[in-house]
Amino acid sequence: GAVVSQHPSRVICKSGTSVKIECRSLDFQATTMFWYRQFPKQSLMLMATSNEGSKATYEQGVEKDKFLINHASLTLSTLTVTSAHPEDSSFYICSASGDNYYEQYFGPGTRLTVT
Amino acid sequence: AQSVTQLDSQVPVFEEAPVELRCNYSSSVSVYLFWYVQYPNQGLQLLLKYLSGSTLVKGINGFEAEFNKSQTSFHLRKPSVHISDTAEYFCAVSLKTSYDKVIFGPGTSLSVIP
């Protein structure tokens, strides 16, 4: 149990376009979903936390208007990178938790490359 | 605020040898502790967690960790490693309060040498 999927696994887009990444909890209801960014050989950096039906809480330094997060249901959250630039290229990972916020289940990640 | 330190950024070890990956944390309140493993281009997989009770925690793939409150440590150990254990390992901590976030350490890259 506790499976989280992400789609797409890899995406290449042109500079200036927008990209949407989906995160789904397949076999449980995710009260909270988290979005992380990971640079090569580095740890995970929390970007934002979202609760179903509420606005996401962004970490300091993360642009809300650039990284749009929607958590419309208990099984789906989306991250939209708007007007992407090469510096947005990264590995984006989502995680989901149920009643226990600290027990996070991670998706397989999405590799975004902006050309 | 809590923080997590993983002193060893890279640990090479020969196959079938034992390994210990070190993790220290700082926090003024009680915490939950976790170890995750990440294989290349994949998400994180939970190896084990300490929530309460016995300080020796056993996880998947033969790993175990011991919580030491006085030393604020949560070192990960395996008595005999396999090639397939080559991966990135992250220690993480969370406060025992609601709606707080999990803080990840910088990671330790374990390389198992045949």
Side-chain angles (χ1 to χ4, degrees), chain B residues 17-75:
Chain B
V19 70
E20 178 180 84
L21 306 183
R22 296 181 292 170
C23 172
N24 289 88
Y25 69 93
S26 66
S27 175
S28 57
V29 299
S30 298
V31 297
Y32 299 126
L33 294 157
F34 310 85
W35 274 100
Y36 289 89
V37 60
Q38 184 180 33
Y39 298 101
N41 295 311
Q42 294 187 29
L44 273 67
Q45 181 182 8
L46 180 66
L47 278 177
L48 47 79
K49 62 189 176 192
Y50 172 78
L51 303 181
S52 65
S54 174
T55 57
L56 182 62
V57 180
K58 292 189 183 298
I60 62 171
N61 301 342
F63 284 94
E64 65 178 32
E66 186 158 17
F67 169 54
N68 187 317
K69 188 175 182 180
S70 63
Q71 296 186 7
T72 60
S73 68
F74 191 54
H75 300 333

Side-chain angles (χ1 to χ4, degrees), chain A residues 28 31-34 36 49 51 95-106, chain B residues 2 30-36 44-52 91-104:
Chain A
F28 69 103
T31 307
T32 307
M33 285 187 168
F34 305 83
Y36 296 86
T49 303
N51 292 293
S95 70
S97 64
D99 294 336
N100 297 320
Y101 72 91
Y102 49 80
E103 296 208 50
Q104 296 185 32
Y105 301 96
F106 287 80
Chain B
Q2 70 271 37
S30 298
V31 297
Y32 299 126
L33 294 157
F34 310 85
W35 274 100
Y36 289 89
L44 273 67
Q45 181 182 8
L46 180 66
L47 278 177
L48 47 79
K49 62 189 176 192
Y50 172 78
L51 303 181
S52 65
C91 181
V93 63
S94 179
L95 297 183
K96 286 187 178 181
T97 55
S98 299
Y99 310 117
D100 209 337
K101 56 193 176 189
V102 176
I103 302 297
F104 288 87

Side-chain angles (χ1 to χ4, degrees), chain A residues 39-86:
Chain A
F39 292 102
K41 303 293 184 184
Q42 293 189 29
S43 188
L44 281 71
M45 181 190 78
L46 180 65
M47 298 175 67
T49 303
S50 72
N51 292 293
E52 183 263 338
S54 303
K55 286 186 177 180
T57 300
Y58 289 82
E59 295 299 300
Q60 192 173 8
V62 178
E63 298 176 62
K64 300 179 184 181
D65 295 333
K66 182 166 190 62
F67 298 100
L68 301 179
I69 291 171
N70 183 278
H71 192 166
S73 76
L74 285 172
T75 59
L76 174 64
S77 176
T78 59
L79 167 67
T80 301
V81 183
T82 62
S83 186
H85 292 287

